[in-house]
Amino acid sequence: MNKEINLKVKQKYVKDYKANFPLISKESILNGKDLIDEGTIIKLVDERNNFIGKGYYGKQNKGLGWILSFKENEKISPQFFEDKIKQAINDRHQFYHNPDTTAFRVFNGEGDGIGGLTIDYFDGFYLITWYSEGIFQFKDWVIQAIENTAKFKGIYQKKRFDTKGQYIEEDDFVMGERGQFPIIVKENGVNFAIYLNDGAMVGVFLDQREIRKLIRDKYAYEKSVLNTFSYTGAFSVFAAVGGASKTTSVDLANRSLDKTKEQFLVNGIDPTTQSIIVEDVFHYFKYAVKKNLLFDMVILDPPSFARSKKHTFSAEKDYKNLLKEAITITENNGVIVASTNCSTFGMSKFKGFIDTAFKELGGQYKLMEEFSLPTDFKTTKQFKEGNYLKVVFIRKVK
Ligand code: SAH
């Protein structure tokens, strides 16, 4: 970590970096891309060696690393990391003091000043996610910063830097006390069973907090709800708590059955009163059409990219058709919640998919409300791709 290497930026990219674009992209760099050790502190310079910014080298699918400072005299040091983490924790002050919600994001990568690193809070436990080997080289600084700033029960970590950003399977415990999993966290008064030591995903995606609340408080009452790509059924649980007449959760992963039952149980809901189906969503749509099933509410939250035995789904290519399937089995005046975490397109393109889907079916709709990331998932204007979440509530009018 003591070495400092200069990376030269191609002239046509200098302008972007001068506007504080934080990601070091492969195509923008002239020299030495493959010979640099992960975690090396690098200085970006233009072709005449004028300073642009400094950061660290860490290959992830998004690029070669992140710029941490645009000030030439700022030192990338343990103190630098501690200042960023302290600031992030201060910014979440209100979250720490809300007994109804005990799980939230504490540090959101480049939005909080250090790309490639996120930290989540689960009722006293911190979960650090490292998105490159490069950022992992700063492990001691990050952990020291958390120790100096916050009280905690224990710290866990996820390494997401195998080829293509895959999670590396291992015991994720770092320090402190080990959790007795599942630990039960709260989100707006609803319980979630969380496992910090059981694979890449912990049981809930915290970025959908506002959507779950809205479904419970405003949309679910006495409605039949179909939750597709349901994972642990978090949307279904909120719908059920909100008085849905029935929820149906569909996910193709075998684990989703027990995980969804568990989420109902920890909220005192008998899972046998709900429907939990392990199946390919696209297969389920065909079944629903054949059986003339119609739902008052259909929730769509697919991964950006997924491959099942029969299907390859890519949000960018296939979301429109997914919507058409959903529209077909939604009651008139019913609501579709369309969500995507795909960072390769923005809200206006997403709304375009919605419009085309309805047009192609000769249907009409009304956009009810739309959402992006909640405030704890802090983003920066300089990196639009970081603001990946798009959720739209759509009423099918005809
Ligand atoms: N909506 C969920 C998160 C979805 S994660 C929530 O809010 O918690 C994506 C899920 O899609 C995974 O659980 C994965 O198993 C599932 N999945 C991917 N392709 C699928 C398909 N073709 N049919 C059904 N489920 C699928």
Side-chain angles (χ1 to χ4, degrees), residues 201 203-205 207-208 212 227-235 250-256 279-283 299-303 305-308 311 313 339 341:
M201 302 195 285
V204 66
F205 290 97
D207 54 3
Q208 297 278 11
R212 287 188 282 266
N227 179 13
T228 63
F229 307 93
S230 54
Y231 180 43
T232 59
F235 286 124
V250 183
D251 194 294
L252 103 117
N254 285 322
R255 60 159 194 244
S256 66
E279 193 176 12
D280 191 315
V281 162
F282 298 97
H283 195 264
I299 301 167
L300 301 173
D301 183 30
F305 191 83
R307 187 171 282 146
S308 67
H311 256 97
F313 176 85
S339 170
N341 59 7

Side-chain angles (χ1 to χ4, degrees), residues 313-326:
F313 176 85
S314 132
E316 183 142 24
K317 286 204 198 81
D318 304 317
Y319 211 110
K320 183 203 73 183
N321 286 335
L322 177 64
L323 279 157
K324 285 170 82 173
E325 307 253 27

Side-chain angles (χ1 to χ4, degrees), residues 14-238:
V14 169
K15 173 164 92 330
D16 295 343
Y17 289 120
K18 290 267 186 214
N20 291 7
F21 183 73
L23 179 72
I24 305 170
S25 69
K26 265 190 204 103
E27 63 273 15
S28 69
I29 301 301
L30 269 172
N31 63 322
K33 277 176 252 193
D34 294 317
L35 305 167
I36 302 170
D37 290 335
E38 290 281 323
T40 303
I41 300 282
I42 50 180
K43 211 165 147 208
L44 285 196
V45 294
D46 68 13
E47 290 180 34
R48 278 182 239 105
N49 285 321
N50 295 310
F51 175 84
I52 296 174
K54 60 175 78 173
Y56 71 89
Y57 191 81
K59 273 195 197 159
Q60 59 180 94
N61 48 3
K62 286 179 179 166
L64 295 177
W66 294 90
I67 299 181
L68 302 178
S69 174
F70 291 93
K71 296 182 198 140
E72 189 160 15
N73 54 10
E74 188 158 43
K75 220 174 146 236
I76 307 304
S77 62
Q79 191 60 48
F80 177 92
F81 272 63
E82 188 167 325
D83 290 347
K84 296 285 181 206
I85 288 171
K86 200 171 260 170
Q87 179 69 50
I89 287 177
N90 283 340
D91 289 349
R92 275 76 172 179
H93 178 77
Q94 287 185 326
F95 281 92
Y96 281 96
H97 290 276
N98 178 357
D100 283 341
T101 297
T102 58
F104 51 90
R105 178 147 295 188
V106 170
F107 195 93
N108 196 40
E110 72 286 351
D112 283 295
I114 304 174
L117 168 73
T118 64
I119 307 174
D120 295 320
Y121 180 86
F122 293 95
D123 192 29
F125 289 91
Y126 283 83
L127 175 67
I128 308 171
T129 303
W130 315 98
Y131 285 89
S132 69
E133 265 185 84
I135 190 64
F136 186 64
Q137 304 307 308
F138 298 91
K139 179 178 173 181
D140 293 347
W141 293 4
V142 170
I143 287 170
Q144 191 64 54
I146 297 175
E147 278 193 278
N148 291 351
T149 315
K151 281 204 239 60
F152 57 82
K153 295 177 188 160
I155 299 180
Y156 281 77
Q157 67 180 357
K158 304 285 174 200
K159 295 181 189 168
R160 282 189 175 262
F161 49 76
D162 214 354
T163 33
K164 290 207 177 131
Q166 291 296 302
Y167 164 78
I168 297 175
E169 194 76 48
E170 58 177 41
D171 177 24
D172 298 328
F173 177 70
V174 178
M175 69 180 295
E177 148 199 335
R178 280 178 189 266
Q180 298 292 315
F181 299 114
I183 55 168
I184 306 297
V185 303
K186 276 199 186 307
E187 183 185 275
N188 292 307
V190 172
N191 294 328
F192 280 132
I194 299 294
Y195 297 79
L196 298 180
N197 63 342
D198 185 25
M201 302 195 285
V202 302
V204 66
F205 290 97
L206 297 175
D207 54 3
Q208 297 278 11
R209 181 189 311 116
E210 291 172 353
I211 313 306
R212 287 188 282 266
K213 182 172 190 303
L214 197 64
I215 288 172
R216 179 191 64 188
D217 296 349
K218 195 165 153 190
Y219 286 93
Y221 187 64
E222 293 188 337
K223 299 289 193 275
S224 59
V225 177
L226 173 65
N227 179 13
T228 63
F229 307 93
S230 54
Y231 180 43
T232 59
F235 286 124
S236 310
V237 170
F238 268 73

